[in-house]
Amino acid sequence: MALIVVQGLRGGVGTTFLAANIAIAFAQAGREATALDFAAHGTLPLHFGLPLDHPIAQIDGNPLEDSAPLGVTLRAAAQFAAKGDLAVALASGEIRFSGEQVVVADLATADEATRAMLLPYAALDIRVLSATAESLSVLPHVLDEASDRTFYLINMADDTRRFCRHMAGFLRELLGDRLLGSIRRDEAVIEAGAMLQPLAKYAPSSASLKDVQTLVHDLVPRLSAAFATNDETAVAVKPAEDRSRKTTGRQGVSRAA
């Protein structure tokens, strides 16, 4: 299983949209996919065509009905992390990342504590920025803390705007192959959320959607080493009432899948 951590350099850069649609694209490509919502008041369900008050199973609870829209298992993880249970589960091996499943963690921008817990286990760390002065202003600090698994992605790119074009060129020169690319700005993203529809259903020809699908296609080779680690017994955290029993098979993060 490959863990992908997705976090914005600042708020409002579309991190949740990217986390959701990266997971959806992996599911459409035939991978088992799980999306973990680490935001206390997250909007992850919206990108799956679900209302914000739609119940999502906690990572330490039993699956709920209709818990895998568009082939992606959704789990809420903010409370689990805040209580300190995430650190314990990772350290004890109850949560492991192996096999061919993809787990996409959507982190709030300011949630450095959860980020620090997850990064040692992440196959890929994606930092999201937009073509704004605010994103550029925090970039030096982020670069100082980057690991060899940290990559960058420009969201809401608009080549018709001069600043965005110049910023993209600057980042390509600065980051080299650490820049995964850019996702084009598309009003269909906002419209799909307002209509409570997944982007793939509302606007299947969306430029943003096509860019995310291309991104996922390009990510597979980067994750090949993680996919090659296929420990069938590494199924991670079971629900509390069943934690004494080991299970086998492609369960993924069992509290998360």
Side-chain angles (χ1 to χ4, degrees):
M1 183 192 331
L3 171 64
I4 301 174
V5 174
V6 184
Q7 187 180 37
L9 268 65
R10 56 181 297 273
V13 297
T15 305
T16 299
F17 157 74
L18 289 170
N21 282 278
I22 286 171
I24 291 169
F26 271 111
Q28 292 174 337
R31 299 279 183 182
E32 288 188 66
T34 292
L36 298 181
D37 188 357
F38 280 98
H41 303 286
T43 59
L44 191 67
L46 202 63
H47 298 284
F48 291 87
L50 303 173
L52 291 182
D53 59 356
H54 184 87
I56 297 178
Q58 295 292 322
I59 191 174
D60 57 344
N62 291 315
L64 298 177
E65 197 173 323
D66 190 29
S67 61
L70 302 178
V72 178
T73 300
L74 301 184
R75 288 296 179 98
Q79 294 180 15
F80 188 66
K83 291 186 297 184
D85 293 342
L86 176 64
V88 173
L90 289 168
S92 67
E94 289 181 280
I95 289 183
R96 304 181 191 178
F97 299 100
S98 63
E100 295 190 355
Q101 190 184 65
V102 177
V103 177
V104 182
D106 177 27
L107 298 189
T109 300
D111 192 356
E112 294 300 327
T114 301
R115 175 179 173 80
M117 284 186 277
L118 290 177
L119 278 188
Y121 307 92
L124 194 64
D125 170 33
I126 299 179
R127 305 306 306 267
V128 183
L129 63 158
S130 58
T132 62
E134 290 84 357
S135 284
L136 281 178
S137 68
V138 299
L139 187 58
H141 173 70
V142 172
L143 287 173
D144 287 342
E145 298 180 345
S147 74
D148 58 357
R149 290 163 290 174
T150 301
F151 294 84
Y152 301 87
L153 183 65
I154 303 172
N155 192 31
M156 298 182 287
D158 184 353
D159 284 346
T160 67
R161 298 183 178 274
R162 183 173 60 182
F163 185 86
C164 185
R165 291 198 307 272
H166 288 301
M167 178 176 170
F170 168 73
L171 290 175
R172 281 193 294 269
E173 184 176 344
L174 175 67
L175 300 173
D177 61 4
R178 291 283 176 179
L179 182 63
L180 294 173
S182 59
I183 308 299
R184 284 170 285 179
R185 180 185 292 274
D186 189 345
E187 288 296 309
V189 174
I190 302 171
E191 294 167 358
M195 296 297 291
L196 282 182
Q197 292 187 21
L199 182 59
K201 179 179 179 181
Y202 177 79
S205 60
S206 160
S208 293
L209 187 62
K210 291 183 182 301
D211 290 343
V212 172
Q213 291 168 341
T214 299
L215 169 70
V216 166
H217 179 271
D218 293 341
L219 288 181
V220 171
R222 297 179 187 270
L223 297 173
S224 58
F227 289 146
T229 307
N230 192 5
D231 179 0
E232 292 294 337
T233 65
V235 298
V237 181
K238 274 71 66 184
E241 67 272 19
D242 192 33
R243 291 178 71 170
S244 62
R245 230 174 7 97
K246 294 287 184 182
T247 58
T248 58
R250 298 178 65 193
Q251 300 286 330
V253 182
S254 200
R255 281 192 176 180

